[in-house]
């Protein structure tokens, strides 16, 4: 039997996605890192505290993906974060895909 999980908005001030057991209310160990969380700022360019924030809870799809978006402080600087939309496996926390609508020049 699959365990029911709740993914609240990634509203922590340090940008974490947390999976919580619907039965116990405890953080689900093994989701993402050892502490049951995913650092949403990892591998994102130009992150500064307050520059990316959640606007709604993640979407959980019927194929067990947790889709996370958010808002960025747009038009503030040329070094603003990308605002990528990402999907994680709802049980393991593994990144499945990400989408960035901006076009970046080749390095």
């Amino acid at each position: 039997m699959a365990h029911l999980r709740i993914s609240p908005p990634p509203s922590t001030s340090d940008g974490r996605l947390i999976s919580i057991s619907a039965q116990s209310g405890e953080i689900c160990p093994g989701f993402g890192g050892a502490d049951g969380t995913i650092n949403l700022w990892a591998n994102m360019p130009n992150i500064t505290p307050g520059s990316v924030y959640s606007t709604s809870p993640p979407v959980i799809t019927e194929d067990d993906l947790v889709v996370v978006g958010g808002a960025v402080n747009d038009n503030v600087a040329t070094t603003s974060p990308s605002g990528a939309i990402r999907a994680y496996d709802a049980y393991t926390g593994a990144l499945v895909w990400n989408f960035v609508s901006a076009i970046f020049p080749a390095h």
Side-chain angles (χ1 to χ4, degrees):
M1 179 175 154
H3 295 284
L4 296 175
R5 295 178 177 210
I6 301 169
S7 293
S11 58
T12 60
S13 62
D14 58 353
R16 292 177 295 146
L17 177 63
I18 304 169
S19 183
I20 300 172
S21 167
Q23 286 86 12
S24 70
E26 299 291 323
I27 293 175
C28 298
F31 176 79
D35 63 352
T37 70
I38 295 172
N39 177 357
L40 295 174
W41 292 354
N43 301 315
M44 295 290 288
N46 307 316
I47 295 292
T48 57
S51 64
V52 179
Y53 52 94
S54 172
T55 57
S56 61
V59 172
I60 302 175
T61 68
E62 64 184 27
D63 51 347
D64 298 324
L65 296 179
V66 179
V67 181
V68 179
V72 296
N73 293 329
D74 208 4
N75 298 321
V76 174
T78 58
T79 58
S80 293
S82 71
I85 300 167
R86 292 165 282 178
Y88 297 92
D89 181 282
Y91 295 98
T92 66
L95 179 66
V96 176
W97 56 259
N98 63 11
F99 173 78
V100 179
S101 62
I103 298 172
F104 296 100
H107 288 103

